[in-house]
């Protein structure tokens, strides 16, 4: 269980998992579709269909992310437009691997088929479609949301007059395509809304460069700055290369019920990956990253104080850090406005101040058994929790 049921009135049931692959990316689980339960429908006020795309995990996906060359989007949106998209994201969305024994259907077809089935099933109710993704998953969610609307998958079969709103939430996403794609996006405005959430110190949403092949962002932007939060650690000194690598990885969006076993434990080649990560960003060696980040800071829009807040570059991209930021008001400092559990910051990371006594990366280590979820959905550390429960 991912712990998304207690204290949550917006309950969903997972209906489908989907997989993606290309000749450059090995076949892997990439996300899921879910639909609100009857109870969730009451809480939300409508029946919502959710599509969630995870972020980068494997080595081959990292290589795919830096395939910045653009290619025509005519396969998705037809001929007669100037839309071009990131080649890596396009291949992952619309291709599969000839070597894969299981992934015979492209991710696009899997998601559109499942979405259409749910729209048909609930067509007599008020429905909506929410598409969300994190990091590279935000890019895929953007293409997927546009695809759904452009090709009528938000309408029941045989009823073109009845369509539902599609809303996309893109967390920490890179740029996806050119100004031609932006023009295509604008034509879908009556049935599509897209909100990009960006964290000030996160470098990912500055990529690919807007000066490279006419890249641009889509939708409306919600800016956050988690460096203002007094709940989070600020120091960079003492962060090991292993922690640095793991915390800059694009953490997946876990499904409400369970995650395929192959993703429960990371087994990354940390040093080699960090070396590759550094070189793809233009740094000659990872040992020189601090010096070169200072030199290159202006390209990211930072004009001063970079070294004082260097750690923020590597804290700011975490998904739970993003959710923490969205839950706060950032005028005149930072204060929590939404009852979002701060313990979740340390679920996969080590970014919550020690004062709050929440173990680091507790979801995957021995402290998992000592984290107890109370009725409001928040997590609390209880020493020897299993023994305490047995005594009761």
């Amino acid at each position: 269980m991912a712990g998304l049921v207690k204290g949550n009135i917006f309950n969903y049931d997972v209906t489908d998992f989907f997989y993606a692959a290309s000749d450059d990316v090995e076949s892997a689980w990439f996300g899921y579709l879910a639909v609100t339960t009857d109870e969730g429908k009451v809480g939300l006020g409508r029946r919502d269909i959710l599509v969630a795309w995870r972020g980068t995990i494997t080595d081959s996906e990292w290589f795919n992310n830096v395939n910045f060359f653009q290619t025509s989007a005519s396969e998705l949106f037809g001929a007669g437009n100037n839309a071009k998209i990131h080649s890596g994201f396009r291949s992952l969305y619309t291709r599969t691997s000839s070597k894969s024994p299981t992934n015979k259907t492209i991710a696009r077809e899997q998601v559109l088929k499942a979405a259409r089935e749910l729209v048909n099933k609930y067509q007599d109710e008020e429905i909506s479609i929410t598409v969300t993704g994190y990091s590279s998953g935000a890019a895929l969610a953007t293409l997927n949301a546009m695809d759904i609307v452009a090709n009528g998958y938000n309408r029941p079969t045989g009823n073109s007059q009845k369509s539902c709103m599609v809303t996309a939430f893109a967390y920490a996403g890179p740029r996806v395509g050119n100004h031609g794609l932006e023009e295509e996006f604008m034509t879908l405005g009556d049935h599509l809304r897209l909100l990009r959430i960006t964290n000030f110190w996160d470098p990912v949403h500055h990529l690919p460069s807007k000066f490279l092949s006419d890249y641009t962002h889509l939708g409306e932007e919600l800016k956050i700055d988690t460096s203002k939060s007094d709940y989070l650690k600020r120091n960079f000194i003492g962060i090991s290369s292993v922690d640095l690598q793991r915390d800059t990885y694009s953490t997946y969006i876990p499904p409400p019920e369970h995650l395929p076993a192959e993703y429960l434990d990371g087994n990354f080649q940390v040093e080699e990956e960090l070396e590759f990560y550094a070189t793809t960003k233009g740094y000659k060696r990872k040992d020189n990253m601090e010096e070169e980040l200072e030199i290159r800071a202006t390209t990211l829009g930072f004009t001063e104080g970079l070294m004082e807040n260097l750690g923020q570059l590597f804290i700011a991209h975490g998904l739970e850090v993003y959710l923490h930021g969205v839950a706060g008001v950032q005028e005149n400092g930072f204060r929590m406005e939404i009852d979002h559990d701060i313990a979740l910051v340390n679920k996969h990371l080590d970014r919550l101040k020690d004062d709050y006594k929440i173990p680091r990366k507790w979801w995957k280590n021995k402290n998992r058994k000592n984290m107890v979820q109370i009725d409001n959905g928040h997590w609390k550390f209880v020493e020897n929790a299993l023994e305490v429960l047995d005594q009761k």
Side-chain angles (χ1 to χ4, degrees):
M1 297 292 290
L4 301 178
V5 177
K6 281 190 176 181
N8 178 18
I9 63 172
F10 308 114
N11 289 325
Y12 287 75
D13 280 338
V14 174
T15 59
D16 299 88
F17 292 105
F18 56 87
Y19 295 74
S22 72
D23 286 335
D24 298 319
V25 178
E26 59 202 49
S27 179
W29 174 88
F30 261 80
Y32 63 91
L33 283 88
V35 65
T36 45
T37 62
D38 290 342
E39 294 80 7
K41 176 187 173 183
V42 172
L44 191 61
R46 64 184 182 279
R47 185 81 65 178
D48 186 55
I49 299 164
L50 172 68
V51 185
W53 293 81
R54 67 160 175 83
T56 307
I57 293 180
T58 68
D59 296 352
S60 62
E61 292 164 21
W62 273 111
F63 281 98
N64 193 66
N65 289 350
V66 296
N67 184 2
F68 294 153
F69 297 105
Q70 292 185 355
T71 188
S72 171
S74 60
E75 183 176 0
L76 303 181
F77 309 118
N81 60 63
N82 298 315
K84 292 185 178 181
I85 55 180
H86 183 290
S87 293
F89 300 145
R90 182 235 189 194
S91 66
L92 201 52
Y93 186 59
T94 65
R95 297 291 182 269
T96 188
S97 173
S98 57
K99 301 176 183 178
S100 173
T102 56
N103 207 163
K104 299 301 183 182
T105 307
I106 64 174
R108 180 194 184 198
E109 290 180 5
Q110 296 172 57
V111 175
L112 294 182
K113 179 177 180 292
R116 171 60 59 77
E117 290 175 352
L118 291 171
V119 168
N120 286 343
K121 181 177 181 179
Y122 296 107
Q123 62 179 294
D124 294 329
E125 303 179 21
E126 182 183 355
I127 62 175
S128 60
I129 298 176
T130 302
V131 186
T132 188
Y134 164 66
S135 195
S136 60
L140 293 168
T142 298
L143 291 177
N144 186 207
M146 290 183 64
D147 193 9
I148 289 172
V149 177
N151 294 293
Y153 284 86
N154 61 331
R155 299 192 294 262
T157 302
N159 189 354
S160 60
Q161 301 303 312
K162 185 176 184 180
S163 58
C164 67
M165 178 62 71
V166 176
T167 305
F169 295 95
Y171 290 87
R175 296 182 176 95
V176 183
N178 69 349
H179 282 85
L181 183 68
E182 182 181 34
E183 292 172 3
E184 185 66 23
F185 174 82
M186 297 301 291
T187 68
L188 308 174
D190 289 343
H191 296 101
L192 176 62
R193 299 288 183 270
L194 189 153
L195 181 67
R196 292 185 297 109
I197 302 93
T198 62
N199 199 353
F200 179 77
W201 285 97
D202 181 5
V204 172
H205 60 89
H206 295 282
L207 301 172
S209 170
K210 61 185 178 181
F211 304 109
L212 179 67
S213 299
D214 189 32
Y215 270 100
T216 188
H217 276 303
L218 306 178
E220 299 295 325
E221 181 181 18
L222 172 63
K223 297 179 180 180
I224 62 174
D225 184 355
T226 55
S227 68
K228 295 179 180 180
S229 172
D230 289 331
Y231 293 90
L232 304 181
K233 296 176 180 178
R234 284 184 166 80
N235 62 303
F236 178 69
I237 298 174
I239 299 177
S240 70
S241 63
V242 173
D243 284 342
L244 178 69
Q245 167 62 11
R246 287 174 178 167
D247 290 358
T248 53
Y249 253 102
S250 300
T251 311
Y252 55 79
I253 299 176
E257 295 301 326
H258 65 281
L259 189 68
E262 62 264 31
Y263 294 106
L264 290 177
D265 295 300
N267 184 23
F268 307 121
Q269 299 174 352
V270 174
E271 291 300 322
E272 290 81 356
E273 278 293 315
L274 186 55
E275 190 79 55
F276 172 68
Y277 180 84
T279 56
T280 60
K281 299 295 181 290
Y283 312 125
K284 297 175 183 176
R285 286 180 51 81
K286 65 176 181 292
D287 296 338
N288 299 332
M289 284 178 74
E290 291 189 23
E291 178 182 350
E292 294 193 39
L293 274 169
E294 186 74 69
I295 296 172
R296 294 165 59 87
T298 54
T299 66
L300 295 178
F302 308 126
T303 57
E304 60 183 356
L306 176 69
M307 293 311 297
E308 295 178 5
N309 295 286
L310 182 61
Q312 296 300 332
L313 286 170
F314 304 101
I315 294 171
H317 190 59
L319 175 59
E320 291 296 351
V321 172
Y322 262 82
L323 296 178
H324 173 76
V326 170
V329 172
Q330 297 168 60
E331 295 179 359
N332 302 317
F334 181 96
R335 71 177 188 276
M336 295 296 287
E337 184 71 15
I338 297 173
D339 187 24
H340 184 71
D341 186 9
I342 61 171
L344 295 174
V345 171
N346 271 10
K347 187 176 182 181
H348 297 287
L349 303 173
D350 179 18
R351 290 293 168 258
L352 195 64
K353 286 183 177 178
D354 296 337
D355 301 348
Y356 297 102
K357 303 186 187 313
I358 300 297
R360 62 193 294 270
K361 303 177 182 179
W362 54 265
W363 189 255
K364 291 185 178 180
N365 63 32
K366 62 183 180 181
N367 283 311
R368 169 78 174 271
K369 64 184 180 183
N370 293 323
M371 293 296 292
V372 178
Q373 192 176 31
I374 56 182
D375 290 341
N376 68 356
H378 288 215
W379 293 88
K380 181 179 180 181
F381 178 75
V382 178
E383 190 74 45
N384 300 318
L386 292 181
E387 294 180 15
V388 172
L389 290 173
D390 289 341
Q391 291 174 3
K392 291 183 179 181

